[in-house]
């Protein structure tokens, strides 16, 4: 598009439709950027549709909204400013965008309000979506939500281990059935969720979906209507949510062989009521130091004693009923990590499979559950 077309753009759209689309795309835009065009949202009006696009060069979101197009054209506008203006307009308002005035300016009118906004040429706007996708499949929004929600809390924040800064999504055969798996770990805990692989997953490359893309996918799922189309290649992934399209670069790294840290021979089984256990952990950990946050679990037949000792504050002890008939065992865990995992469990009970105080512990709703969690112990 040349600038003469851009300047002539005239479009009218309902505030609610524009706000919804801007709400999705403006979050991608970094508040501080050294590249001016990346602070802007690209808007393009044609065929009774206004298309908005924003990117940070790694992630791009495009969204379409119905509009009355008087004159086709495009422009780029400051994303956060535009979002704030539209957010503050009254409900039910009509918004008109007119690029027929001064060059480098676009006029936004709504009711008695008028804003002249500076634009940058849309020809400068980067395109990060080029390239082919080798595999595609469809997922129900509820399945995609589970894959992400049940694993994302375990994503590592350590930038030096960049290959752990996302969710590893891959297909693998389990007992003769192809499963789609999502795995995240930070080295202290691991989360794995699997579900029957939809058609199109066979032979797909294992990919690491970055944290920021994970967060945006989570938000877009909430408004998803119908199946979500997922397309991927070795370096890009795209999610189609009806009117919204998210394309992201993938983390270029090798996810570790997580299967080696999932214990297979843990023979001590502890079953507790999930809520009772979580509330007890939360209560006794009130006294733990921020740095340590270790809670000790003392297992004996039929009961579990949770305790925390903090040299500066004192100690706390709580006993709860438990289903355990193994040899007595004392083991320590990070209280925050225990709470994170119990929060993800769907049933009323939590099953712990333990070996000894120095080995990883397996946590599930029940045997054979689709979600599985591994937690490394702490010294107590």
């Amino acid at each position: 598009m040349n600038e003469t077309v851009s300047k002539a753009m005239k479009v009218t759209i309902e505030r609610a439709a524009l706000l919804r689309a801007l709400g999705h795309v403006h979050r991608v835009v970094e508040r501080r950027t050294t590249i001016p065009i990346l602070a802007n949202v690209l808007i393009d009006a044609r065929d009774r549709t206004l298309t908005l696009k924003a990117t940070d060069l790694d992630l791009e979101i495009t969204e379409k909204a119905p509009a009355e197009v008087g004159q086709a054209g495009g422009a780029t506008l400051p994303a956060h400013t535009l979002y704030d203006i539209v957010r503050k307009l009254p409900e039910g308002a009509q918004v008109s965008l007119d690029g027929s005035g001064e060059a480098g300016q676009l006029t936004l009118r709504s009711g008695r309000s008028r804003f002249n906004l500076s634009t940058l040429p849309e020809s400068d706007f980067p395109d990060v979506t080029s390239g082919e996708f080798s595999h595609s499949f469809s997922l129900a929004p509820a399945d995609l939500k589970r894959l992400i929600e049940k694993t994302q809390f375990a994503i590592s924040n350590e930038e030096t281990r960049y290959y752990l800064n996302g969710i590893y999504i891959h297909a693998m055969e389990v007992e003769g059935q192809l499963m789609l798996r999502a795995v995240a770990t930070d080295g202290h805990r691991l989360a794995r969720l699997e579900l029957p692989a939809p058609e199109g997953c066979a032979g797909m490359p294992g990919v690491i979906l970055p944290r920021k893309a994970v967060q945006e996918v989570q938000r877009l799922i909430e408004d998803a209507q119908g199946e979500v189309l997922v397309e991927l290649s070795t370096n890009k992934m795209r999610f189609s949510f009806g009117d919204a399209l998210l394309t992201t670069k993938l983390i270029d790294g090798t996810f570790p062989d997580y299967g080696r840290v999932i214990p297979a021979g843990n023979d001590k089984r502890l079953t507790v009521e999930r809520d009772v256990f979580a509330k007890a952990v939360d209560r006794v950990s009130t006294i733990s130091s921020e740095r340590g946050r270790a809670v000790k679990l003392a297992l004996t037949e039929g009961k579990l004693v949770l305790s925390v000792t903090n040299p500066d504050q004192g100690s706390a002890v709580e006993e709860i009923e438990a289903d355990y008939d193994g040899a007595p065992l004392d083991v320590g865990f990070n209280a925050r990590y225990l709470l994170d995992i119990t929060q993800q469990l769907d049933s009323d009970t939590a099953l712990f499979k333990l070996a000894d105080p120095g080995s990883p512990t397996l946590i599930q709703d029940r045997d054979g559950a689709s979600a599985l969690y591994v937690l490394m112990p702490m010294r107590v």
Side-chain angles (χ1 to χ4, degrees):
M1 278 178 270
N2 59 43
E3 280 209 44
T4 53
V5 176
S6 312
K7 283 193 291 185
M9 180 180 81
K10 286 184 182 174
V11 61
T12 304
I13 183 169
E14 285 185 10
R15 171 195 176 265
L18 182 55
L19 185 64
R20 182 174 178 272
L22 276 171
H24 288 152
V25 302
H26 92 284
R27 285 191 306 255
V28 178
V29 178
E30 298 287 350
R31 287 273 174 191
R32 292 189 184 86
T33 175
T34 52
I35 307 168
I37 195 78
L38 294 185
N40 281 18
V41 57
L42 173 66
I43 58 174
D44 184 72
R46 61 194 64 244
D47 305 327
R48 296 201 298 205
T49 303
L50 187 68
T51 304
L52 295 91
K53 184 192 282 191
T55 183
D56 64 0
L57 294 182
D58 291 322
L59 179 66
E60 177 186 285
I61 295 183
T62 305
E63 179 136 2
K64 289 179 163 55
E68 288 176 34
V69 179
Q71 172 70 54
T76 79
L77 294 164
H80 293 295
T81 306
L82 182 60
Y83 175 72
D84 286 341
I85 289 170
V86 176
R87 185 172 55 83
K88 292 173 183 178
L89 292 173
E91 276 185 40
Q94 293 280 320
V95 181
S96 79
L97 301 168
D98 186 344
S100 61
E102 284 180 46
Q105 293 273 311
L106 184 137
T107 304
L108 182 154
R109 287 188 185 86
S110 183
R112 295 182 179 183
S113 305
R114 174 180 162 151
F115 298 86
N116 285 329
L117 300 171
S118 297
T119 65
L120 289 171
E122 73 270 29
S123 53
D124 293 352
F125 200 84
D127 178 20
V128 300
T129 57
S130 54
E132 296 295 309
F133 294 98
S134 60
H135 290 75
S136 70
F137 53 88
S138 292
L139 279 174
D143 287 341
L144 180 58
K145 189 174 180 176
R146 264 180 72 75
L147 277 173
I148 283 178
E149 279 194 352
K150 297 292 179 195
T151 54
Q152 64 123 15
F153 72 93
I155 293 174
S156 173
N157 292 316
E158 226 178 290
E159 299 301 332
T160 50
R161 302 169 80 186
Y162 63 92
Y163 48 86
L164 297 182
N165 294 162
I167 296 176
Y168 180 50
I169 298 171
H170 58 299
M172 72 179 296
E173 205 164 288
V174 182
E175 296 172 1
Q177 186 179 7
L178 192 66
M179 305 296 279
L180 184 64
R181 272 189 180 176
V183 181
T185 182
D186 59 7
H188 304 290
R189 57 214 171 139
L190 177 143
R192 187 195 84 191
L193 183 101
E194 63 183 20
L195 44 88
E199 206 175 316
C201 286
M204 69 173 259
V207 296
I208 308 172
L209 184 65
R211 184 194 300 106
K212 186 172 177 181
V214 166
Q215 291 165 348
E216 293 309 324
V217 168
Q218 254 186 312
R219 291 186 177 118
L220 289 168
I221 293 170
E222 297 306 321
D223 297 328
Q225 305 290 320
E227 299 250 299
V228 179
L229 176 66
V230 181
E231 299 165 277
L232 56 88
S233 63
T234 51
N235 56 3
K236 280 196 181 131
M237 198 162 182
R238 177 186 283 166
F239 298 83
S240 304
F241 302 87
D243 291 331
L245 195 66
L246 179 147
T247 311
T248 177
K249 290 181 182 173
L250 298 166
I251 292 175
D252 183 12
T254 305
F255 200 80
D257 178 8
Y258 65 87
R260 292 184 320 168
V261 302
I262 297 176
N266 287 12
D267 56 350
K268 297 181 175 69
R269 295 166 64 92
L270 163 73
T271 306
V272 289
E273 281 192 42
R274 184 181 68 115
D275 282 355
V276 171
F277 174 76
K279 284 172 179 163
V281 169
D282 196 26
R283 275 191 290 271
V284 297
S285 67
T286 311
I287 209 160
S288 64
S289 67
E290 272 309 306
R291 206 167 49 85
R293 294 206 67 106
V295 57
K296 177 177 161 187
L297 278 59
L299 288 73
T300 51
E301 194 171 331
K303 71 174 183 180
L304 168 64
V305 177
L306 299 120
S307 60
V308 169
T309 305
N310 178 348
D312 303 324
Q313 300 237 7
S315 61
V317 178
E318 183 162 340
E319 183 181 313
I320 63 169
E321 286 180 16
D323 182 357
Y324 179 74
D325 54 12
L329 177 69
D330 289 358
V331 60
F333 295 108
N334 178 304
R336 177 76 261 146
Y337 295 169
L338 272 178
L339 291 171
D340 283 346
I341 290 173
T342 50
Q343 221 173 352
Q344 300 304 325
L345 300 177
D346 293 323
S347 73
D348 296 335
T349 57
L351 169 64
F352 290 73
K353 295 180 185 173
L354 307 108
D356 56 62
S359 301
T361 290
L362 200 62
I363 306 170
Q364 287 175 285
D365 287 319
R366 61 186 184 283
D367 282 319
S370 60
L372 169 151
Y373 304 96
V374 178
L375 186 54
M376 294 300 292
M378 285 177 80
R379 276 206 198 120
V380 283

